[in-house]
Amino acid sequence: MTKKRKNNGSADEDRHVKSVKVVEQSSPSPPRLGFENPLLPLANTYDDDDEEEEYGGRGDSGAKVGQNGRTGEDDDEDKDEDEDDLANGYGQGQRSRLVEVRRDCPYLDTVNRQVLDFDFEKFCSVSLSNLNVYACLVCGKYYQGRGQKSHAYTHSLEAGHHVYINLRTEKVYCLPDGYEINDPSLEDIRHVLNPRFTKEQVDQLDKNKLWSRALDGSDYLPGMVGLNNIKETDFVNVTIQSLMRVTPLRNFFLIPENYRHCKSPLVHRFGDLTRKIWHARNFKGQVSPHEFLQAVMKASKKRFRIGVQSNPVEFMSWLLNTLHSDLRNTKKNTSIIYECFQGELEVVKAIPKNTISGNDQNTEKGSDGGDDHDNITTETSRMPFLMLGLDLPPPPLFKDVMEKNIIPQVPLFNILKKFDGETVTEVVRPHVARMRYRVTRLPKYMILHMRRFTKNNFFVEKNPTLVKNLELKDYIPLPTPKENEKLRSKYDLIANIVHDGKPEGGFYRVFVQRKSEELWYEMQDLHVSETLPQMVALSEAYMQIYEQQQ
C-alpha cells in the first residue's frame, strides 16, 4: 500500500510538472503588429485574441490538440483578457491561463435574437475602437474586451447582461464569470454574423425556388433582399443588386477562400455583403450595406459617400476597376472582373492634318500604326472595355395634341450601330476626329449604359427616349471564333437600372431577373416586388447588364 501511495504521489507530481510545462509552452509570443490585418486600420501593437487565420472564422484545420482536449488556439484565447488590459494601459505583462468551456450556461435564455444586427461596423459603443470587439447577445450593443477592466465586463455588471460573442473569432463567453460557452443553439447566431457557403450550396443557388422566413416573421427570397438606403445611397444599392445577377462574380465572392490573399478591405466588405444578400438564414428580411459603404468612402477618398447622390455608371466603373486592381494576378493581369466583363474594341481614328501638329501625330499613333492620305491621318488601335456607352437620338421638340412632350422609342439595333465598324462618330476632344468602333472580342457579360444626361452651359438635360427590344444578337458584326469554338452571339438581359425624376435629383431603381423561376423583380432600396417583363421594356433604361448564352 505504501509503495502504491508513493507511486501515486509521484504520478501526481509528474502531472503537475506536465501541466506547468503546458502552461509555459502556451505562453504567448510577442504580439504581431495590428497593421497586418487591413480590416483593423486602428490597430497598434495590441493583438486580438486567438488569431486562427487572418480572416478566419472558427476553422479548426491545422489546430494542435494539447492536454485536456483543448487546442493550441484555445490556449492563445486565454491571453486575451490580459491583452484587453494592455490595450487600455493596464498591466505590464502577459500571463496565460486556461479558459473553462461549459455547455450548461444558465443565461442562454436571456439571448435576444430580435435585437442582433451585425450589418454595422464592428466598433465599441464606448471607446469607438475596433480592437477585440464583443457583441452583447442580450441588448445587441458592441463592447471592447472581456478583461476585468474592459467595457464588456463593466456592462455585464451594470446591466446584468452575461452572454457575449467575439465578432471576429465567433466564440461566446459568459461575463463576468469568464468561461466560454459551447452550445449548439448558438450556431444560428454565428451563421448570421458570418454566413458560410459550401461549393455544393453555391452550385444550387440558381435552382432554389424556396422562400425563407426571417426571425421577425417576414418572408424573403435569398438573393432578392432589399438594401437600406442610408442616405442618398440608392445609386450604390442598384449597382450591388445588378452585380448580384452575375453568376461567376457572385460565386467567387461567396467563397472567402478565393480572395483570402487579398489585403483590400473593399474586397472583403463586398464579399461579406454578397454572402449576407444570398444567406437563407437571416434574422431580418433586409440587409444594410453600411460596412461596405464605409469601405467605399475610404477607397474612393470620399468621391462616393453617404449623403451625396452620385451616378451609378460612374460608381460601377470605379468599383469594377478598383476590385480588379485589388484582385488581379500580377503575372497575367487578370481577375474575376476581367473574366466576366472585359471585351475588346478596334478603334479607327481619322484626324485631319490641319487640326494637329507634328508632335501630336507622333504621340497619337495607335498600336497598329497609321496611314497618311488625302490630308487625313488614320490610326488603328485596340482597346479593352468593361462597359459600352450608347448615344440616344435627341428627343423631339414638339408636343402632341395633349400638350405633352412626345416620348420617342428607339430600337437597340439603331443605337448599337455605333459599334458596327462603319458608322462614324464625330469627336472634338482632345481634337477634331472621326471615330469608327468595332467589337473584336465579346465579354461574357456586357454592360451597356445609355447617355441620358447631357450638360450644356446652362443646365443638365435628361433624354427620356425609351429603348425597345431586349435581344442582343445580329446587331453588330462579330469576331470570327477560333477553331473548335462556338460563336456565342446571343445575350439575355439580366439587370436594368432605371432613373426616375429630374436630372439634378430623382432616384434609381432596378429590374432584375431571378434565374430559378425566370421571373422579374423590381427593386428600390427596401422595396422588392414581382413585375411583368413588359414593364422592363417600357422603362427608361439607364444601364443594362446582358449575359451571354452558353
Side-chain angles (χ1 to χ4, degrees), residues 144-383:
Q144 185 181 19
R146 61 183 179 88
Q148 293 186 359
K149 298 179 181 180
S150 66
H151 299 298
Y153 191 94
T154 303
H155 179 70
S156 69
L157 295 176
E158 292 180 348
H161 298 171
H162 301 289
V163 188
Y164 296 80
I165 185 171
N166 187 299
L167 295 177
R168 188 175 55 81
T169 66
E170 302 176 22
K171 293 190 175 183
V172 182
Y173 296 91
C174 178
L175 298 181
D177 298 353
Y179 59 84
E180 181 183 346
I181 305 171
N182 183 15
D183 192 281
S185 66
L186 301 172
E187 283 302 313
D188 63 331
I189 297 178
R190 295 190 177 102
H191 275 279
V192 173
L193 173 60
N194 184 21
R196 301 166 177 82
F197 291 86
T198 63
K199 292 183 178 180
E200 292 74 17
Q201 290 173 331
V202 170
D203 294 337
Q204 296 297 317
L205 281 179
D206 289 333
K207 301 176 182 178
N208 177 39
K209 298 182 180 180
L210 298 178
W211 287 65
S212 295
R213 172 157 291 186
L215 195 66
D216 58 6
S218 60
D219 295 327
Y220 70 94
L221 287 167
M224 294 289 175
V225 297
L227 297 177
N228 277 327
N229 185 342
I230 298 177
K231 190 178 180 183
E232 303 289 343
T233 57
D234 51 328
F235 72 97
V236 174
N237 291 349
V238 295
T239 303
I240 296 301
Q241 297 286 17
S242 300
L243 292 177
M244 291 299 103
R245 312 309 132 197
V246 180
T247 304
L249 184 72
R250 177 202 67 188
N251 294 351
F252 177 86
F253 280 99
L254 286 177
I255 308 294
E257 286 74 16
N258 292 332
Y259 47 92
R260 187 176 297 278
H261 66 281
C262 181
K263 303 293 184 182
S264 167
L266 181 68
V267 170
H268 289 273
R269 296 305 188 209
F270 185 79
D272 293 342
L273 183 58
T274 303
R275 294 197 302 276
K276 289 178 180 179
I277 289 175
W278 286 93
H279 192 222
R281 298 166 60 181
N282 287 331
F283 286 169
K284 55 188 189 307
Q286 70 271 351
V287 175
S288 175
H290 189 271
E291 283 190 293
F292 174 72
L293 287 168
Q294 294 293 335
V296 166
M297 288 175 59
K298 184 175 181 182
S300 68
K301 299 180 180 178
K302 295 190 176 181
R303 176 184 173 187
F304 305 102
R305 60 185 187 272
I306 298 173
V308 179
Q309 182 69 278
S310 294
N311 191 317
V313 172
E314 295 179 3
F315 179 69
M316 175 77 80
S317 177
W318 173 86
L319 180 63
L320 293 181
N321 282 286
T322 305
L323 290 177
H324 165 71
S325 63
D326 292 338
L327 289 168
R328 67 180 173 182
N329 185 322
T330 53
K331 294 182 179 179
K332 299 181 179 180
N333 191 31
T334 185
S335 68
I336 186 64
I337 305 298
Y338 274 15
E339 291 174 10
C340 292
F341 300 108
Q342 190 184 51
E344 187 181 67
L345 281 178
E346 179 186 77
V347 182
V348 179
K349 181 189 297 185
I351 311 172
K353 279 188 175 181
N354 57 0
T355 62
I356 57 175
S357 63
N359 293 333
D360 290 335
Q361 291 183 28
N362 295 331
T363 58
E364 286 292 327
K365 291 291 183 182
S367 59
D368 295 337
D371 299 323
D372 295 341
H373 53 82
D374 298 333
N375 294 326
I376 294 179
T377 301
T378 302
E379 301 168 0
T380 303
S381 61
R382 299 210 172 185
M383 57 183 295

Side-chain angles (χ1 to χ4, degrees), residues 18-63:
K18 288 181 180 179
S19 64
V20 171
K21 289 182 178 179
V22 169
V23 173
E24 290 177 352
Q25 291 174 359
S26 65
S27 297
S29 58
R32 287 170 288 178
L33 293 179
F35 58 75
E36 291 180 0
N37 190 337
L39 297 185
L40 301 179
L42 302 178
N44 45 29
T45 55
Y46 163 77
D47 189 23
D48 204 353
D49 55 81
D50 112 327
E51 182 93 9
E52 291 130 344
E53 292 180 89
E54 192 158 356
Y55 291 99
R58 293 181 58 83
D60 295 327
S61 59

Side-chain angles (χ1 to χ4, degrees), residues 432-545:
V432 176
R434 306 182 72 186
M435 314 287 288
R436 286 181 292 155
Y437 305 95
R438 184 173 68 90
V439 177
T440 55
R441 187 175 76 245
L442 291 172
K444 294 179 181 177
Y445 291 83
M446 183 175 291
I447 304 177
L448 304 179
H449 75 90
M450 290 68 183
R451 296 193 173 102
R452 291 195 176 274
F453 302 106
T454 55
K455 186 180 295 186
N456 55 34
N457 294 332
F458 305 100
F459 54 86
V460 177
E461 188 177 15
K462 179 181 176 182
N463 190 325
T465 302
L466 298 180
V467 179
K468 293 185 64 179
N469 296 355
L470 300 179
E471 295 291 338
L472 191 61
K473 63 176 182 178
D474 303 329
Y475 287 174
I476 53 179
L478 300 175
T480 304
K482 298 179 182 178
E483 294 184 4
N484 302 325
E485 282 190 7
K486 180 182 177 182
L487 178 62
R488 297 184 175 91
S489 60
K490 189 174 182 180
Y491 284 77
D492 293 325
L493 183 70
I494 59 174
N496 184 32
I497 295 177
V498 176
H499 179 268
D500 296 317
K502 297 181 179 180
E504 63 274 7
F507 53 87
Y508 295 96
R509 54 193 172 96
V510 62
F511 295 95
V512 298
Q513 186 187 44
R514 190 182 186 213
K515 288 187 177 180
S516 60
E517 298 174 325
E518 295 186 356
L519 297 177
W520 282 90
Y521 288 83
E522 179 184 348
M523 310 182 78
Q524 183 179 340
D525 300 329
L526 294 177
H527 173 77
V528 180
S529 61
E530 186 179 341
T531 188
L532 296 174
Q534 293 84 344
M535 298 302 298
V536 182
L538 294 176
S539 60
E540 295 182 13
Y542 186 50
M543 182 164 57
Q544 298 178 326
I545 301 181

